[in-house]
Amino acid sequence: MIVVFGSTGTVGRLVVNGLVAAGERVRAFTRDPARATFGPGVEVVAGDLQEIGTVRAALAGADGVFVATSPDALAHELTLADALRDSGAGRVVKLSSVAANPPVTDSYGGAHADAEKAFMESGAEWTALRPAGFMSNVMQWKKSIKSQGRVYQPHGGIQRAVIDPEDVAAVAVSCLTTPGHHEKAYQLTGPEALSAPQLTAKVSAVLGRPLQFVEVDPEQARNGMIGAGMPPQLVEGLLASMADPGALRGGTPMPTVQQITGRSPATFDSWLARHVAELRD
Ligand SMILES: NC(=O)c1ccc[n+]([C@@H]2O[C@H](COP(=O)([O-])OP(=O)(O)OC[C@H]3O[C@@H](n4cnc5c(N)ncnc54)[C@H](OP(=O)(O)O)[C@@H]3O)[C@@H](O)[C@H]2O)c1
């Protein structure tokens, strides 16, 4: 039995489906079972990482765990690491970030690194997945594309080898179901490094309409994110992470997805072809 924490998330739900396809028994943990719309064979359990009793109950009989919580919930992953220490679940795969690659330079990467460390010390066999930015982040551009034909972003000139969440999930499933991944921290990327203006041009081409990329001043971005209700410390960490041009922050394509899954990581063009309808609606 593998328990997926963050089962309704971008990557978590793909991991649930991938594990079922691989023939595993899966328990999907969520605060809101109504959102966990999985097929038969998935046991959905209600719980909150902030309530250790619900976490302990979910771990009963588990021999593997996948965890991918939202950036504002990373501290709650420490609760899961505590519960794992007592439960003896065999294996944990944590979705982390390239921001956790040493040297950690911002609070966002620090929160991921702290959670990784807690899992390393939990007694379970551990694997950390450190992906670059997700291709699906371009969905955040939908509103301004629709209303203004524009894409707004700070630090747009920095090229990142963005990754398809499907590839992150495929790596997670391999790490949970095949041996050889204990004590490994994998940096995961897509096959090509692209700037935000280059991504914008590709989106423009598939939508068949001109789009303008607008470089946003980081201070303005900070105010906008805090104004939208994001915790200020998380905003500082995320912006610092976006400003870091280093190769270890996803700037250089890595062979890891191919090495672990045996298939090439998807290109952004391929991701776009599969998601253009969602971008349009
Ligand atoms: N987006 C990127 O470009 C990117 C790149 C690299 C790494 N990452 C990392 O990937 C991770 C996951 O990203 P994602 O996009 O899959 O996340 P997501 O779509 O925002 O999903 C987050 C999940 O966290 C769960 N969650 C949040 N608080 C919880 C709590 N208190 N108790 C139980 N569950 C809780 C939510 O479950 P319920 O609401 O169902 O309870 C949800 O399923 C993050 O840590 C992020 O830092 C993201």
Side-chain angles (χ1 to χ4, degrees), residues 6-12 29-32 35 47-50 68-71 73-74 76-77 95-97 108 112 131-134 137:
S7 63
T8 62
T10 310
V11 173
F29 186 91
T30 174
R31 289 166 299 176
D32 181 7
R35 290 177 53 225
D48 190 315
L49 281 167
Q50 295 184 79
T69 63
S70 45
L74 292 172
H76 308 323
E77 292 186 4
L95 179 56
S96 183
S97 163
Y108 168 62
H112 270 303
F134 299 162
N137 291 349

Side-chain angles (χ1 to χ4, degrees), residues 26-281:
V26 182
R27 185 175 291 150
F29 186 91
T30 174
R31 289 166 299 176
D32 181 7
R35 290 177 53 225
T37 49
F38 298 111
V42 178
E43 179 193 345
V44 176
V45 294
D48 190 315
L49 281 167
Q50 295 184 79
E51 294 164 18
I52 194 156
T54 64
V55 177
R56 286 191 204 285
L59 289 175
D63 39 36
V65 162
F66 176 74
V67 56
T69 63
S70 45
D72 60 351
L74 292 172
H76 308 323
E77 292 186 4
L78 305 182
T79 308
L80 173 58
D82 273 348
L84 266 177
R85 205 167 290 124
D86 305 333
S87 81
R91 187 178 288 193
V92 59
V93 174
K94 168 178 162 49
L95 179 56
S96 183
S97 163
V98 283
N101 278 326
V104 171
T105 53
D106 59 71
S107 59
Y108 168 62
H112 270 303
D114 288 349
E116 284 186 15
K117 184 164 178 286
F119 290 119
M120 289 168 190
E121 293 168 355
S122 70
E125 291 190 11
W126 62 267
T127 310
L129 307 184
R130 297 176 181 164
F134 299 162
M135 292 175 179
S136 52
N137 291 349
V138 302
M139 288 296 177
Q140 293 163 8
W141 297 347
K142 239 172 99 166
K143 201 170 154 198
S144 67
I145 285 177
K146 204 167 190 173
S147 59
Q148 305 170 32
R150 288 186 176 153
V151 167
Y152 295 90
Q153 197 177 295
H155 309 297
I158 299 176
Q159 291 189 318
R160 310 278 187 196
V162 288
I163 186 167
D164 186 336
E166 294 272 3
D167 286 327
V168 180
V171 170
V173 170
S174 289
C175 291
L176 286 160
T177 57
T178 61
H181 304 290
H182 178 35
E183 296 184 343
K184 297 278 171 55
Y186 293 124
Q187 196 185 165
L188 306 176
T189 72
E192 54 190 339
L194 296 164
S195 66
Q198 287 172 317
L199 294 172
T200 304
K202 285 177 178 291
V203 173
S204 166
V206 294
L207 291 180
R209 56 177 290 203
L211 296 178
Q212 183 191 1
F213 178 79
V214 181
E215 177 72 30
V216 177
D217 176 67
E219 187 58 35
Q220 215 181 323
R222 177 180 293 110
N223 294 339
M225 290 159 89
I226 292 172
M230 288 174 71
Q233 204 209 350
L234 174 61
V235 171
E236 294 305 332
L238 286 172
L239 282 172
S241 181
M242 287 176 82
D244 188 335
L248 284 173
R249 306 296 179 223
T252 303
M254 305 290 283
T256 339
V257 169
Q258 167 91 51
Q259 286 166 348
I260 296 170
T261 65
R263 70 176 201 220
S264 304
T267 60
F268 185 62
D269 291 329
S270 146
W271 182 89
L272 265 182
R274 282 177 276 125
H275 294 277
V276 63
E278 291 161 62
L279 265 172
R280 262 207 194 98
D281 68 23

